[in-house]
């Protein structure tokens, strides 16, 4: 596992955006670059920088296929809290990516299980995901894979915990009851099948989750801990998120990154 510690959220976002752009620009295979994407507050800074780079001609998304992590069940595209809406408002509407290259789970489907199976098949059709960017919750959940979700899980229906609905209530008039109780989500196994996984972790409230991801044991209680088993896992974090790491761990990863630049 690689842990890249930056001074603040802005620098973390810039580092992650440039890492993603470099991967796209250096993609040599005779197929599109396949990119997994999250929603939420964590990736907004990354999206802003990728938009800037795209408009400046520093990266193109014409040969990029995207798969989003999750979507609420029961929210139509036009609902301002659907993840379809979020992604278009914060990213897709501002870059030149072909509409047919965008893949987001359909939360309005009449057959959720069939929709999830279709999603997995389409990922396989493209040869798997090259890089999956994600964020984690304060309890370490990755996508909507809440604590105690199987670490080998595939795309499926997820029941959201009360804690998750409370956290997300700020987007629904501060009423947890208005937050959908279920979502469609890629599984932990879906994410870890990717060639690389880049997870963004920022802020004091994510410090326990970062420590569990890096220093804790592999456990279904912290689904983020599955990243310890992935050869291409990268954590991009800010100083504020490092508060629960031991001093030796913190220094180790700073030293490793310093050595990489020499």
């Amino acid at each position: 596992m690689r842990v890249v510690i930056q001074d603040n959220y802005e620098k973390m976002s810039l580092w992650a955006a440039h890492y993603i752009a470099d991967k796209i620009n250096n993609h040599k295979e005779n197929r599109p670059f396949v990119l997994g994407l999250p929603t939420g507050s964590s990736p907004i800074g990354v999206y802003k920088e990728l938009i800037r780079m795209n408009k400046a001609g520093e990266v193109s998304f014409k040969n990029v296929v995207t798969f989003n992590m999750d979507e609420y069940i029961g929210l139509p595209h036009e609902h301002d809290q659907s993840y379809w809406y979020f992604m278009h408002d914060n990213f897709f509407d501002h870059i030149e990516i072909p509409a047919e290259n965008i893949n987001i789970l359909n939360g309005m489907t009449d057959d959720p299980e069939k929709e999830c199976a279709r999603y997995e098949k389409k990922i396989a059709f493209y040869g798997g995901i090259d890089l999956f960017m994600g964020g984690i919750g304060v309890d370490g959940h990755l996508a909507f894979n809440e604590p105690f979700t199987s670490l080998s899980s595939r795309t499926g229906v997820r029941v959201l915990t009360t804690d998750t609905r409370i956290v997300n209530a700020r987007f629904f008039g501060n009423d947890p009851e208005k937050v959908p109780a279920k979502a469609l989500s890629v599984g932990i196994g879906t994410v870890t099948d990717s060639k690389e996984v880049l997870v963004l972790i920022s802020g004091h409230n994510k410090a326990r989750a970062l420590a569990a991801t890096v220093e804790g044991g592999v456990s279904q209680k912290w689904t983020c801990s599955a990243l310890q088993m992935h050869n291409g896992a990268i954590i991009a974090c800010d100083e504020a998120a490092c508060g629960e790491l031991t001093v030796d761990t913190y220094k180790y990863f700073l030293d490793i990154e310093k050595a990489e630049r020499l």
Side-chain angles (χ1 to χ4, degrees):
M1 179 184 289
R2 182 180 179 189
V3 179
V4 180
I5 303 168
Q6 298 292 307
D7 292 342
N8 51 46
Y9 173 82
E10 289 73 22
K11 289 184 178 180
M12 178 198 77
S13 299
L14 288 175
W15 186 92
H18 285 257
Y19 185 86
I20 292 168
D22 285 345
K23 288 294 179 176
I24 293 171
N25 289 336
N26 291 312
H27 182 66
K28 304 300 183 185
E29 295 183 39
N30 189 28
R31 64 177 183 85
F33 185 86
V34 185
L35 179 63
L37 296 174
T39 55
S41 56
S42 295
I44 288 177
V46 176
Y47 291 147
K48 286 181 178 179
E49 177 63 8
L50 287 174
I51 291 167
R52 185 203 66 76
M53 295 179 76
N54 178 239
K55 292 185 182 299
E58 297 170 20
V59 65
S60 172
F61 293 91
K62 290 181 179 178
N63 195 40
V64 174
V65 170
T66 65
F67 285 89
N68 260 78
M69 279 190 157
D70 40 32
E71 178 60 282
Y72 287 116
I73 289 179
L75 293 190
H77 289 172
E78 60 270 17
H79 192 290
D80 64 2
Q81 293 306 318
S82 76
Y83 289 158
W84 190 98
Y85 186 99
F86 175 97
M87 289 304 304
H88 285 78
D89 188 46
N90 287 284
F91 192 43
F92 294 140
D93 286 350
H94 309 284
I95 61 174
E96 33 60 289
I97 185 170
E100 61 270 21
N101 286 10
I102 298 169
N103 295 279
I104 303 175
L105 285 154
N106 178 14
M108 296 298 290
T109 179
D110 293 330
D111 191 338
E113 297 296 341
K114 184 177 180 180
E115 168 66 3
C116 293
R118 179 196 67 82
Y119 209 65
E120 287 277 345
K121 287 179 181 178
K122 195 164 187 182
I123 291 172
F125 171 80
Y126 279 104
I129 293 172
D130 293 298
L131 188 156
F132 217 134
M133 177 172 66
I136 63 174
V138 295
D139 59 3
H141 72 257
L142 185 60
F144 272 129
N145 296 291
E146 304 280 23
F148 303 105
T149 301
S150 169
L151 300 185
S152 61
S153 58
R154 312 305 303 185
T155 303
V157 178
R158 303 289 188 265
V159 177
L160 307 190
T161 64
T162 299
D163 285 347
T164 294
R165 296 179 76 192
I166 289 172
V167 168
N168 290 355
R170 67 190 188 277
F171 303 118
F172 292 85
N174 292 314
D175 184 355
E177 292 301 315
K178 292 182 179 178
V179 181
K182 294 182 178 181
L184 304 179
S185 174
V186 296
I188 294 296
T190 312
V191 174
T192 55
D193 274 354
S194 307
K195 293 177 182 175
E196 289 188 284
V197 183
L198 169 60
V199 173
L200 312 172
I201 307 179
S202 65
H204 292 289
N205 63 330
K206 302 286 181 71
R208 286 185 66 226
L210 175 59
T213 305
V214 176
E215 295 181 331
V218 177
S219 167
Q220 290 183 145
K221 182 177 180 181
W222 295 91
T223 56
C224 56
S225 67
L227 296 175
Q228 294 179 30
M229 307 291 288
H230 196 292
N231 286 331
I234 304 170
I235 307 295
C237 60
D238 61 9
E239 286 280 353
C242 294
E244 296 290 330
L245 293 178
T246 62
V247 173
D248 284 346
T249 297
Y250 175 81
K251 288 182 176 179
Y252 169 80
F253 284 112
L254 285 180
D255 286 346
I256 290 294
E257 290 302 312
K258 186 183 297 183
E260 287 288 330
R261 293 192 294 269
L262 294 178

